[in-house]
Amino acid sequence: MQSVAAFIIVLGVLIAFHELGHFLVAKLMGMGVKTYSLGFGPKVFGKRYGQTEYRLSWIPLGGYVSLVGEREDDQLEEGFTAREHFNRRPAWQRTLVILAGPVFNVILAWLIFWGLFWAQGMYEPLPVIGRVQEESPAAAAGIMKGDRILTVNGKEIDTWSDLSNTISASNGTEVTLTIERGDETITKALKPKLMTRPNLFGEDEKSYLIGIVGSGDHRVVPVSGGSAAVLSIERTWDYISLTVQGFAKLIERAIPLDTVGGPIMIAQLVSQQAQQGFGNLLALTALISVNLAIINLLPIPVLDGGHILFLIIEMIRRKPVSPRVQEMTFRVGFVLLITLMLLATYNDIARIFGGS
């Protein structure tokens, strides 16, 4: 029950923040908002404040903001002026309203990382060896589990990243390591070897390595509010970059389609991270929020990116794309989206029954 509750809360927060972006920018532009709903389908309950009804609906896999005059052929509605109608506003204003949803998902990720860095500090993996691979340069040099690398060629090594980057940059020339082993400080000389290892996307890449694996030991560095804000921008950008690269790899077929996951996989991940702690759950929420933003910006009709594409064309042509073309492309986009959802769900079920 805790896992189900965590999944519903995470999904609810992501949807609420996405739709809040559309809602706030529409209000800022003076557009009329009829409904702000969390969930689809019949409403569980609703409350009207001013001209807007705020409601909770039965199907939790989404949400929506209903604006006055979203369709070009909508009539002037009672209680609203012509200026409040969405489709009677300039294309750039409509674009900002649609773009606001994905942007707010990115902002949510940034806020989460800011809070995590500020509250928990920054984790820095230490250059402590957890395992030495057999028949590697490190094994041949007598490097052992538990050794801590202090310097490489006299350069001070403070974190595991320092060690990894320095070894990789050696280009295979001999390096001298100063090692802390218990109460001793010893020196080892060895030549990094060009080896193959998988990257984040499972692709093989070559790099100069010495055959060691980190122990996972780390230290926590306190971070001020200002520094946390900057670090959270960097982390959010890293997630955006990795997500975009991931989509590109899928298109290139460098990543197999069976790695695509859907709601079941998300629920499983949320459940696992909820059991690991609140901080882990928040970090996963930020990652999903970035993914949601990028997915919504894909130029597929029925997604925000598809609407934005039509509005960009309208601004270039100085007239809207014909309703017939829009309707045809939306049908194609809907079929494509349903196909992707079915594929993701199939993969989720296959992973469950495959034991992975």
Side-chain angles (χ1 to χ4, degrees), residues 137 152-153 155 162-177 190-194 207-210:
V152 177
N153 289 340
K155 176 185 175 184
D162 291 342
L163 175 61
S164 178
N165 294 336
T166 304
I167 294 295
S168 180
S170 70
N171 291 323
T173 59
E174 185 176 84
V175 294
T176 301
L177 310 183
L190 69 163
K191 280 190 175 183
K193 180 180 177 182
L194 191 61
S207 182
Y208 284 98
L209 308 170
I210 59 174

Side-chain angles (χ1 to χ4, degrees), residues 260-322:
V260 176
I264 297 174
M265 181 180 177
I266 293 173
Q268 290 175 326
L269 290 172
V270 168
S271 174
Q272 292 168 7
Q273 296 307 309
Q275 293 171 20
Q276 295 295 322
F278 187 59
N280 288 38
L281 180 60
L282 283 176
L284 177 63
T285 302
L287 174 59
I288 297 174
S289 192
V290 168
N291 274 263
L292 182 61
I294 302 302
I295 289 172
N296 266 284
L297 285 174
L298 293 176
I300 299 175
V302 312
L303 295 178
D304 290 338
H307 290 285
I308 291 171
L309 177 61
F310 283 133
L311 286 168
I312 291 172
I313 294 172
E314 179 179 337
M315 285 186 278
I316 294 172
R317 298 175 67 236
R318 299 184 181 277
K319 63 179 182 179
V321 177
S322 72

Side-chain angles (χ1 to χ4, degrees), residues 86 101 136 270:
F86 177 76
S136 65
V270 168

Side-chain angles (χ1 to χ4, degrees), residues 100-119:
V103 168
F104 263 56
N105 278 124
V106 173
I107 292 173
L108 175 61
W110 172 69
L111 288 172
I112 289 173
F113 286 131
W114 188 7
L116 287 174
F117 281 130
W118 199 357

Side-chain angles (χ1 to χ4, degrees), residues 8 24 77 85 105 173 178 180 188 195 278 286 318 348:
I8 292 174
L24 289 179
E77 298 190 35
H85 276 227
N105 278 124
T173 59
T178 304
E180 181 181 83
K188 298 285 186 180
M195 302 167 69
F278 187 59
R318 299 184 181 277
D348 290 346

Side-chain angles (χ1 to χ4, degrees), residues 16-260:
F17 223 79
H18 180 94
E19 299 303 331
L20 182 63
H22 295 312
F23 173 82
L24 289 179
V25 176
K27 285 286 192 181
L28 184 66
M29 295 289 178
M31 300 176 187
V33 181
K34 294 186 291 185
T35 310
Y36 175 93
S37 176
L38 296 183
F40 295 119
K43 69 178 178 181
V44 179
F45 65 85
K47 184 72 175 179
R48 182 173 294 278
Y49 293 97
Q51 295 175 309
T52 306
E53 181 186 23
Y54 301 85
R55 65 168 63 168
L56 181 68
S57 301
W58 277 109
I59 305 173
L61 300 177
Y64 64 92
V65 169
S66 178
L67 303 178
V68 175
E70 285 189 57
R71 293 176 59 86
E72 197 169 343
D73 56 355
D74 283 350
Q75 299 298 313
L76 187 64
E77 298 190 35
E78 186 178 350
F80 295 96
T81 66
R83 187 179 182 279
E84 292 176 292
H85 276 227
F86 177 76
N87 260 307
R88 301 191 184 191
R89 303 302 289 274
W92 68 267
Q93 291 186 7
R94 285 176 277 150
T95 301
L96 289 179
V97 171
I98 295 170
L99 184 62
V103 168
F104 263 56
N105 278 124
V106 173
I107 292 173
L108 175 61
W110 172 69
L111 288 172
I112 289 173
F113 286 131
W114 188 7
L116 287 174
F117 281 130
W118 199 357
Q120 298 182 353
M122 185 172 64
Y123 287 70
E124 290 187 343
L126 297 174
V128 178
I129 297 170
R131 181 167 62 88
V132 179
Q133 297 173 349
E134 295 181 2
E135 300 181 2
S136 65
I143 293 175
M144 300 172 60
K145 175 182 177 181
D147 286 351
R148 176 168 180 160
I149 311 300
L150 301 177
T151 68
V152 177
N153 289 340
K155 176 185 175 184
E156 186 176 344
I157 300 298
D158 199 39
T159 66
W160 187 266
S161 294
D162 291 342
L163 175 61
S164 178
N165 294 336
T166 304
I167 294 295
S168 180
S170 70
N171 291 323
T173 59
E174 185 176 84
V175 294
T176 301
L177 310 183
T178 304
I179 299 170
E180 181 181 83
R181 179 179 293 170
D183 296 329
E184 295 182 277
T185 299
I186 60 177
T187 301
K188 298 285 186 180
L190 69 163
K191 280 190 175 183
K193 180 180 177 182
L194 191 61
M195 302 167 69
T196 300
R197 63 178 176 181
N199 61 18
L200 285 173
F201 303 105
E203 299 174 297
D204 288 338
E205 64 177 14
K206 291 186 176 182
S207 182
Y208 284 98
L209 308 170
I210 59 174
I212 55 175
V213 179
S215 66
D217 292 356
H218 64 271
R219 65 166 171 262
V220 178
V221 180
V223 178
S224 67
S227 296
V230 174
L231 286 169
S232 62
I233 291 173
E234 294 173 356
R235 180 62 57 86
T236 303
W237 177 253
D238 288 342
Y239 274 34
I240 291 172
S241 177
L242 286 172
T243 302
V244 172
Q245 288 180 56
F247 278 114
K249 298 293 184 185
L250 277 172
I251 294 171
E252 295 169 1
R253 300 300 298 273
I255 299 177
L257 287 176
D258 60 10
T259 60
V260 176

